[in-house]
Amino acid sequence: MNRPSTAPLQKDTPLLGGILLRLALPRLLTRVVVILAAIALLIYCAQRILQSGKAWLDFALKLTGLSDILGKTVIDFVIQYQKYFWWFVILILFLITLSSLISYLRSSLKRGRAALVPLSDVRKLCAQLSPEGLDILNWVWKDQTQPVTVGILQTVLTQRSSGRARKLALARAQQSELQSALQNRPLSTPSAPAPTQVLPPANDAGQREPTMLA
């Protein structure tokens, strides 16, 4: 059994991947910098909290006068287990940072997919993509009154690897068979016309004599 050649696929994938990587590289670098900065800031805050938490707590107790009100026993208990409180604060900071990073990445990915592809890149794709790749690009780019975006090229790359070209060719062949069958179908003979009812002649006033039907 002959298998379809993979040469067009091997040609289209590096072409699309190279253009996508070049267009997405600035955003990728920005995301990496933002994530690393957020992690570094979180680690710094956690270290400061663990190192200075006891001193902050002592200062707060003395400032508010709670050390004299609560008594030595309660204060010693608080000081003994205060490290769990600071770990809880660190956990809260971690969750806030994680939620902020996820929100930022989602927004950045959405903006990245909506970024417009320059005309030079589209011209390059039209000149170097295989016929199958051009077919998929035309299928993915549904609203051609709007410019091509990075998200469209990402979809083209995904569909190119999933065999979309073969499915489009099969759909066209099936549509051609259907149109051919519709054009060559025999014409249906019209049914016999219903017999017309003969009415009695009307009189001078335009009225007809009554019959058994009316």
Side-chain angles (χ1 to χ4, degrees), residues 41-54 56-57 81-98:
L41 181 61
L42 178 62
I43 293 175
Y44 172 77
C45 292
Q47 290 178 343
R48 290 290 298 169
I49 290 173
L50 293 177
Q51 292 174 0
S52 306
K54 185 176 183 299
W56 295 344
L57 183 60
Y81 293 100
Q82 52 90 24
K83 62 179 181 180
Y84 299 105
F85 169 76
W86 297 121
W87 276 111
F88 178 75
V89 172
I90 293 173
L91 177 62
I92 296 298
L93 289 177
F94 171 77
L95 294 177
I96 293 175
T97 303
L98 181 63

Side-chain angles (χ1 to χ4, degrees), residues 29-74:
L29 294 177
T30 302
R31 292 167 192 162
V32 171
V33 171
V34 170
I35 292 174
L36 292 179
I39 293 175
L41 181 61
L42 178 62
I43 293 175
Y44 172 77
C45 292
Q47 290 178 343
R48 290 290 298 169
I49 290 173
L50 293 177
Q51 292 174 0
S52 306
K54 185 176 183 299
W56 295 344
L57 183 60
D58 290 338
F59 177 76
L61 291 175
K62 292 178 180 179
L63 182 64
T64 57
L66 290 176
S67 57
D68 297 331
I69 298 175
L70 297 177
K72 185 177 183 304
T73 304
V74 176

Side-chain angles (χ1 to χ4, degrees), residues 189-210:
T189 56
S191 57
T196 57
Q197 181 181 357
V198 179
L199 299 177
N203 55 19
D204 295 338
Q207 299 177 348
R208 292 185 174 90
E209 293 294 333

